[in-house]
């Protein structure tokens, strides 16, 4: 391979983190993003211990803590009775990780931190307003057709990473199936500066079980104290999105969640469709998938972007080794490791999280909540539970997967 350039489609958090991890290893990188700048919409925020371990390798955690919030606790509530069912403290993981907490740092802050670092790497080129429209690969290289300013040009490299999100052109052009399902209901996000901790005692990550309308409530730093609270609810698929997103409906929803004499200030409203899907492979020859291009899931538990950043770290170290002469079987190992844990952990956990919160059967509901309470009350079981939610168990499982039996 004479040209060791890695092409990246997509400058979201996963594509940018791949660029940083590869760039810092001396690999030439050319990244293309269709947007003219970083996406600024409020999306993922929760960064779990296992992902903090990965990000610390690139020196990002201190800045994320400075711009975000550090929270060791999360809670489960029973919304109809207003009872705190279970509280988990990441402090129980202090012997297993240097980061026994989550960092609530909005995705757009993390991407800005990464982009800033990329500016000091002369071997990394970041091109906004460049859309990847087609791909061709041979045994020697891969080329992408990139559209910019109404002109198409062909760019060639050794490998292509498709980090171009859930609707990935790279995945579709490579004919890789995206297996799974789409939920009927949409997810509604309403953001308010109302201080749920001071007024109600909720911590920065609180989950509410309710047979009528589950809810997640979590805090982000926003532009600084006092911060913002993001509430997530299921929304009726048959209702007109304009109605669901109207200020009146948002107000009514929040008032139902927490009745208040004063109207809520609602600073952001968003409605989105949610899928549970995993690509049939994360590798097709010289094309690799990572992040939402490879897997999507509901946001309950905050696992999606975390999984994507873990993909990026796993893939970048293997790809750099292959470009340095190691066997390209390492890339099959990447696909096997990350696809397996995406199914075994992220898909399974997020589907179960939603089921637990929305359970309608009274007996099943009671059992779910008393199980959670019993787990939280037993330090050994709570530590085990936290190993799962913090994605530490998932990372250890990925590391344990080998190619034996595949070749
Ligand atoms: C409301 C909401 C809340 C969420 N909350 C959480 C959470 O709490 N925790 C969590 O872990 N996850 C959460 N997620 C999921 C998380 O936001 C995604 O997993 C994350 O954005 C995936 O990053 P990515 O880089 O793979 O893809 P994206 O962020 O989608 O980035 C893809 C990039 O590719 C670019 N692109 C697309 N097509 C092309 C093309 N053809 N050519 C060039 N560029 C292209 C896009 O412009 C974009 O910049 C949430 C998602 C939503 C919508």
């Amino acid at each position: 391979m004479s040209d060791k350039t890695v092409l990246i489609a997509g400058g979201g958090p996963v594509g940018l983190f791949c660029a940083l991890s590869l760039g810092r290893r001396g690999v030439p990188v050319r990244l293309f993003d269709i947007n003219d700048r970083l996406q600024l919409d409020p999306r993922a925020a929760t960064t779990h211990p296992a992902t903090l371990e990965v990000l610390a390798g690139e020196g990002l955690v201190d800045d994320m803590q400075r711009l975000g919030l550090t929270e060791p606790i999360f809670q489960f509530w029973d919304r109809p009775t207003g009872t705190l069912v279970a509280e988990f403290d990441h402090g129980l993981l202090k012997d297993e990780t240097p980061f026994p907490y989550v960092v609530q740092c909005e995705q757009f802050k993390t991407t800005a931190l990464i982009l800033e670092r990329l500016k000091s790497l002369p071997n990394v080129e970041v091109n906004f307003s460049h859309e990847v429209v087609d791909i061709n690969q041979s045994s020697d290289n891969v080329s992408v057709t990139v559209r910019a300013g109404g002109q198409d040009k062909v760019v060639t490299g050794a490998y292509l990473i498709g980090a171009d999100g859930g609707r990935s052109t790279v995945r579709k052009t490579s004919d890789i199936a995206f297996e799974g399902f789409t939920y009927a209901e949409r997810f509604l996000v309403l953001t308010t500066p109302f201080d749920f901790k001071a007024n109600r005692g909720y911590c920065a990550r609180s989950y509410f079980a309710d047979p009528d309308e589950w809810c997640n409530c979590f805090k982000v730093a926003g532009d600084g104290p006092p911060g913002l609270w993001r509430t997530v609810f299921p929304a009726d698929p048959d209702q007109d999105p304009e109605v669901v997103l109207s200020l009146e409906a948002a107000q009514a929803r929040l008032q139902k969640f927490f009745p208040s004499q004063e109207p809520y200030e609602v600073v952001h409203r968003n409605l989105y469709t949610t899928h549970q899907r995993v690509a049939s492979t994360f590798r097709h020859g010289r094309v690799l998938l990572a992040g939402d291009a490879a897997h999507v899931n509901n946001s309950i538990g905050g696992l999606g972007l975390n999984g994507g950043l873990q993909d990026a770290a796993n893939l970048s170290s293997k790809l750099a080794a292959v470009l340095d002469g190691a066997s390209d079987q390492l890339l099959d190992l990447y696909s096997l490791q990350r696809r397996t844990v995406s199914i075994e952990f992220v898909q399974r956990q997020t589907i179960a999280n939603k089921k637990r919160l929305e359970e309608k059967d009274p007996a099943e509901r009671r059992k779910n909540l008393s199980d959670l309470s019993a787990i939280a009350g037993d330090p050994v079981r709570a530590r085990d539970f936290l190993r799962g939610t913090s994605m530490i168990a998932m990372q250890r499982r990925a590391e344990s997967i080998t190619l034996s039996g595949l070749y």
Side-chain angles (χ1 to χ4, degrees), residues 359-371:
E359 183 58 57
K360 290 195 187 307
D361 178 70
E364 191 61 28
R365 222 175 149 289
R366 258 194 317 277
K367 181 182 177 314
N368 286 345
L369 299 183
S370 71
D371 279 356

Side-chain angles (χ1 to χ4, degrees), residues 10 13-14 33-35 43-44 107 132 164 169 272 292 302 304-306:
V14 173
D33 194 284
I34 188 172
N35 288 331
R43 292 173 67 179
Q107 179 169 330
V132 171
D164 49 345
T169 300
Y272 62 96
D292 275 17
L305 175 56
N306 281 274

